[in-house]
Amino acid sequence: MERPGTWQAIRAEALRRMRAGDWPPGERIPDEAELAAEFGCARATVNRALRDLAEAGLLERKRKGGTRVPLTPVRKATFEIAIIRRDVEGRGQRHGYRLIEDALRPPPEAVRTALGWEGGAMRHVTALHLADDRPFVLEDRWLNPALVPADRVRFETVSANEWLVRNIPYSSGDIGFLARPADASAARWLGCDAGAALLAIERTTRSEAGPITFVRLSYAPGHRMEAML
Amino acid sequence: MERPGTWQAIRAEALRRMRAGDWPPGERIPDEAELAAEFGCARATVNRALRDLAEAGLLERKRKGGTRVPLTPVRKATFEIAIIRRDVEGRGQRHGYRLIEDALRPPPEAVRTALGWEGGAMRHVTALHLADDRPFVLEDRWLNPALVPADRVRFETVSANEWLVRNIPYSSGDIGFLARPADASAARWLGCDAGAALLAIERTTRSEAGPITFVRLSYAPGHRMEAML
DNA sequence: TGGCTCATTATGTCTATACTTATTCTCGAG
DNA sequence: CTCGAGAATAAGTATAGACATAATGAGCCA
């Protein structure tokens, strides 16, 4: 347990009151000044605790309106998105990598719209990541050839996944999860039947210099992503 | 843009320096006192900005060790987990609900282990959620009959999803994402072919009084969950 | 009634200061 | 040369006070 008077202790007590029904859903709770007086601490400490709960979706706070327990809380689940090699190694397995294709191709319409790509051909890189020699995830990536030219950046030994994180870090983008049936190519590389249900992550990455990449990571059947609540 | 001297402005400037390469991956950045002097603000303000970046996985901070830019940042993607009705309504569609089954059954082994269930039969509730009269998600739930007795709590009109959020809020649990092929039942209710790839969320919920529920939400084919980076 | 302004209010944020704590570094003993 | 005690360091946190800001609501005027 935390020592009393710390913001963690106040957060825990607030949570307890919500669970116990002292602060029922929909109700407004005492304001920061009152709670600070009750707990015998500074208002900033109460603010820290309640702000933390609000960020997790467990409280709703509005200036002047006060703080209330939401009727239907919108909880937040967070995934840790590491590079694939670290993901595999974090499971205590050996990471393997195999480049399948690296060629210039006209991107499909879905990729064009997702990235807002106006130009012609993009660099299409396909690769397989292995965990203890078994297929783990299929990486299907479209790269802006102006930002990642094929004659200067090679992906034979280092995956595009890893290269991008190291060299074009901290860019913005979207991320989405979906399920898709394995097509012939995915089935072949992942060693499953065509049509098998695959968990996939699609991500677009942009910088100020323009679109960087669209990638779809298709995990081998049975893969499960754990999130923290 | 933020006015200078605010913690958001400092966070933005720190991000800019990382992107620009002023603070390259692996490097240690100036400590809080130095940055506070540079930006002409209090150390607490710098702390707020850097703590925020660290929470997002964009910085690594250690006492005495200082703050450094991670070599391979572990970014965090967060999903908003709302109750299904709100999810549907948030898309501007009409939410529909239909109870399929509500019966006492011995739970399958996977459910027993996920919940740590020692007893016999559990309450098995299956229901379909609709968006504009089209199948949206199939809810397959196992409930602790001691905590949610069938003779007192009915799910004909209010989904278990919603009832639980309102009545047993703020409990702890795990959440995981996976892809699974539609079985005969799922195919029938979701109106898709058997074997179709479904995005599913599995969640276990526990309270101090014991396990509450295990639920698997299987989304209709094509569903995509967007996360925020 | 409708809409405008202005005071009120609770949260949001910043400051200066102090103390705490985890971690690293150093230096001396064995 | 290794190990362990203790010093040094940078982040973590708490505090009192102040001001900023976004809602709300009251009162006024048309």
Side-chain angles (χ1 to χ4, degrees), chain B residues 2-20:
Chain B
E2 296 89 7
R3 289 211 314 291
T6 67
W7 70 268
Q8 290 99 329
I10 293 168
R11 182 184 56 185
E13 172 61 14
L15 246 182
R16 194 196 63 70
R17 290 185 186 183
M18 287 192 271
R19 285 201 243 259

Side-chain angles (χ1 to χ4, degrees), chain A residues 19 75 81 170 202 224, chain B residues 19 75 170 202 224:
Chain A
R19 286 202 242 259
R75 297 294 294 275
I81 311 277
Y170 315 120
E202 289 182 350
R224 187 183 153 95
Chain B
R19 285 201 243 259
R75 297 293 295 272
Y170 316 121
E202 288 182 352
R224 187 182 152 98

